[in-house]
Amino acid sequence: MAKVIVDVPAKQTDRPFDYLIPANLLGCISPGMRVVVPFGPRKVQGFVVAVETQSSFDHLREIIEPMDIEPVLNEELLYLSDWLTEHTLCYKISAFQVMLPPALKAKYEKKIKLKSRPFIHELDEAIRPFFYEKDILHWDEVLKSGQLSVFQKSTAAGKLEVLYEVKERVKKKQVKMITSLVKKEDLDRLEIKSGKQKQVLEYFADNPESIERKYLLKTLNISSSVLKSLIDKGWVEETVKEVYRDPYEDRIIQKTEPLKLTNEQSAAIGPILSSIEGEKHEVFLLYGVTGSGKTEVYLQSIQKVIAQGREGIVLVPEIALTPQMVNRFKSRFGDQVAVLHSGLSVGEKYDEWRKIQRKEVKVAVGARSAIFAPFENLGIIIIDEEHETSYKQEDNPRYHARDVAIERGKRHQCPVVLGSATPSLETFARAKKGVYKLLTLSRRMNDHNLPDVQIVDMREELRDGNRSMFSRILHEKIEERLVKKEQIVLFLNKRGHSSFVMCRDCGYVIQCPNCDISLTYHRFNQQMKCHYCGYEAMVPNVCPECGSDHIRYFGTGTQKVEEELGKIFPEARVIRMDVDTTSRKGAHEKLLTAFYEGKADILLGTQMIAKGLDFPNITLVGVLSADTMLHLPDFRSSEKTFQLLTQVSGRAGRHELAGEVVIQTYSPEHYSIELAGEQDFDKFYQREMMMRKVHQYPPFYYIALITVHHEELLKVVDTIEKITRFLHSRLSRNTLILGPVASPIPRINNKYRYQCLIKYKREPGLTQILKEILDHYGKEAHTNGLQVSIDTNPFILM
DNA sequence: AGCACGCCGACT
DNA sequence: GTCGGCGTGCTC
């Protein structure tokens, strides 16, 4: 008997169901395998979590078939799924699915079949023609026909039968291989009339090993009919071979050797190496300024792990996972590296994952979900840019890769290295307390200085009559670089053209009809777009409120800056990088390469250019507006601003040429901007810690966020109030409960949102209490659409 | 999640 | 009297 978690993400099915193992499969079914099981009238995918001899349930049904020969989840990952479920309060099935490549998620098909040909005469005329030429009909054809009830009646009468199928999402890629069956010495004895056929066999005489079919056709310039007759004669053989899709196929990668470490690097790597050697679990914070050579420390630590016969995981933020970054690992470790990131197709991800599972690689480099790489003998886990918020998944299961890393580190008795120039406050606080070991790299490699940073008060510019988006000083410095043929990076944390569209007469701001948020103007198609629900509309000619035609665009996005640059510096060649210009596959890389090769003077972009860029000719970085994030309703907004400004500044002057940074702002006195200007993380840390203490936020308190969503405002308010009252009755007096209040964006996609924030220091029963809430309201989600979501460590409070 | 079962109002 | 609306409960 097998205990199976079925692929039905709902409260009521979030427990194991027991199934008999059919006699022919006895011994073939083990925990961690996917199986197809009957569930009610249909078939679903399930995960075997245990194999036992007894069941408390009498009427067991049988497993239909296994979907794997080997388990896809090993023992550790099964354990980890329990941990995930417990910590993020998600369904078991969601935990399994997040740990596996999407290719392994089942695809369901529903069909209807004529049970037996003669029945066709007994079918209702309305549906009879559907079965004239075939017995099986896709369910969507049934729905499209508008005759659903007739189909149902015939099904009930036993004339038709509903089929449920569970399918694999992706096939293993196969190629056709050709092998010669003729030995070289036998060649002359054959009567070969055709010159082409002879040519093929002669080729094989010199190259006896198998060759890919399409490659053979191309190199010998023959048609497939030549091959066909050879196969018919039994002189060559065609076979299929399973291959990996290789996203890095046509790239030539030069091998690199370990670099000599600086004194600081050697001092930092020492404790990591001894932790690897001693197979000891420790968490290190590698705190190193931008350009201080953290990556080399990672590379050499991994080297050690590989030498020990163990494996390593390296997490890199999605936007920093550039080919440049990947190449650094591939060039050191060659084909021992698997790369997992969102740019890959489902099939490519699956193949990279299989390389790990089959132990064909030693290192996995990837974004957040790579933390679940199915290694069995981990020797190190590295998280680069540890403070990045993209390590937190914002939908279920709402896990933080850092927490998962530490949990896996404990199981494998291996070190976890968190690297950053601007660590998150939580991490730095732990490092200061000694919970994590602090390793510092305070100097840039080759002793290049950190760039000079200048903060410009844009209010003053305005007062002096400069209404442009460029301050005089930035304008001047851009001109200077253009003359000197040095490169410039301009950063603006807002894509699109303008952030909102407003009527100048009455002040009406055009809003999304489904969400409580203003629409963003996109120039290229003259449309306004909602970044939350995707709603699009044309810009109105007159104000919908007062009828005035003074419609104006406010707030500046990258598109508008690009236009402006064209006007002010017509000679400058500009590359714009944001979600809109990099969505096509490979576009990201292409733009960066072009910039690297000097095909542009100015790189203008959003977040995505803040990281990893390491180009020698960049000597000026301009931050057009440092404030965009500062005033968001989020207790981490100062931290995020500081981190971003520091990261962007770090792009300048990394090599021989000295770098300069200009930061434009309307709040130059704000400590996160001022201290980013001084590039003084330690001082920032102290200031921000004081703020967090006063306002009772992490790392002084833990937080949990409960959000209720529903189309009816009343229902939402009523529910969140009940939940809040329940929390007050159950939580300790030292715990703070904020709210209920409307979420900062009170309505998204026509659903109202109210929330309540719990801040606590010690609350041992919290998980249990939160589970009770989910249990209680979980049923309602299904019946009336009321949605209660809980995040036990929220990063976005909106 | 799906699906069946079952109980009420609007029709042939 | 029957068809079809959707509220309720179950799936090993």
Side-chain angles (χ1 to χ4, degrees), chain A residues 570-589:
Chain A
E571 74 281 14
R573 296 161 303 163
V574 181
I575 289 179
R576 193 182 101 217
M577 270 185 77
D578 52 35
V579 194
D580 304 306
T581 62
T582 54
S583 50
R584 269 184 312 116
K585 202 176 170 180
H588 192 264
E589 184 180 4

Side-chain angles (χ1 to χ4, degrees), chain A residues 178-332:
Chain A
I178 303 295
T179 315
S180 172
L181 300 172
V182 180
K183 289 203 192 81
K184 192 174 180 175
E185 50 274 22
D186 297 337
L187 197 57
D188 301 328
R189 283 194 275 120
L190 293 170
E191 283 179 38
I192 307 166
K193 294 190 193 99
S194 141
K196 287 273 184 188
Q197 292 181 23
K198 191 166 183 177
Q199 195 191 338
V200 175
L201 293 176
E202 274 165 0
Y203 166 84
F204 276 115
D206 297 330
N207 312 276
E209 61 277 4
S210 311
I211 177 172
E212 200 177 315
R213 183 192 147 103
K214 71 169 181 212
Y215 192 61
L216 181 73
L217 295 182
K218 212 167 96 193
T219 40
L220 298 183
N221 192 27
I222 52 167
S223 76
S224 51
S225 64
V226 178
L227 218 47
K228 174 106 181 17
S229 33
L230 281 168
I231 294 166
D232 290 344
K233 288 178 183 154
W235 292 344
V236 303
E237 181 188 46
E238 188 180 274
T239 52
V240 288
K241 190 178 108 184
E242 198 180 295
V243 293
Y244 293 131
R245 302 162 184 88
D246 186 359
Y248 297 91
E249 191 172 29
D250 2 280
R251 197 157 313 181
I252 302 136
I253 293 166
Q254 295 240 303
K255 180 109 178 110
T256 61
E257 294 302 323
L259 306 175
K260 183 152 172 26
L261 297 180
T262 64
N263 289 344
E264 271 197 335
Q265 284 175 319
S266 306
I269 204 171
I272 301 176
L273 295 182
S274 61
S275 171
I276 295 168
E277 220 158 278
E279 307 206 356
K280 208 164 120 209
H281 168 65
E282 281 179 292
V283 182
F284 296 99
L285 168 58
L286 181 59
Y287 166 46
V289 296
T290 53
S292 60
K294 291 187 285 288
T295 311
E296 191 59 32
V297 174
Y298 302 153
L299 290 169
Q300 297 194 18
S301 304
I302 295 169
Q303 189 108 50
K304 173 95 186 173
V305 167
I306 294 178
Q308 251 198 355
R310 301 172 87 188
E311 300 117 5
I313 295 177
V314 185
L315 296 193
V316 179
E318 187 73 71
I319 45 175
L321 205 57
T322 55
Q324 223 188 359
M325 184 78 197
V326 171
N327 279 355
R328 295 193 68 175
F329 286 87
K330 288 226 166 195
S331 56
R332 190 68 58 87

Side-chain angles (χ1 to χ4, degrees), chain A residues 64-91:
Chain A
I64 294 169
E65 61 183 10
M67 293 179 81
D68 302 299
I69 301 168
E70 290 285 309
V72 291
L73 293 166
N74 62 35
E75 202 194 322
E76 188 227 345
L77 291 177
L78 279 173
Y79 155 80
L80 198 62
S81 71
D82 286 335
W83 180 88
L84 253 189
T85 317
E86 187 67 20
H87 283 258
T88 67
L89 304 171
C90 69
Y91 300 134

Side-chain angles (χ1 to χ4, degrees), chain A residues 11 35 172 191 194 263 273 279 285 331 391 413 436 518 573 593 605 614 666 715-716 723 734 747 773 776:
Chain A
K11 186 82 231 134
V35 288
K172 289 174 182 131
E191 283 179 38
S194 141
N263 289 344
L273 295 182
E279 307 206 356
L285 168 58
S331 56
Y391 288 130
Q413 286 299 298
Y436 300 163
S518 49
R573 296 161 303 163
T593 312
D614 191 358
Y666 288 93
K715 184 98 193 139
V716 174
I723 291 174
N734 300 325
R747 188 179 51 127
I773 293 173
H776 188 259

Side-chain angles (χ1 to χ4, degrees), chain A residues 508-519 528-530 533-537 747-752:
Chain A
Y508 176 78
V509 175
I510 297 173
Q511 296 233 318
C512 174
N514 310 318
C515 312
D516 287 332
I517 199 94
S518 49
L519 294 174
M528 301 177 300
K529 195 172 176 180
C530 172
C533 73
Y535 173 86
E536 280 185 338
R747 188 179 51 127
I748 291 180
N749 242 328
N750 280 321
K751 283 190 172 167
Y752 289 92

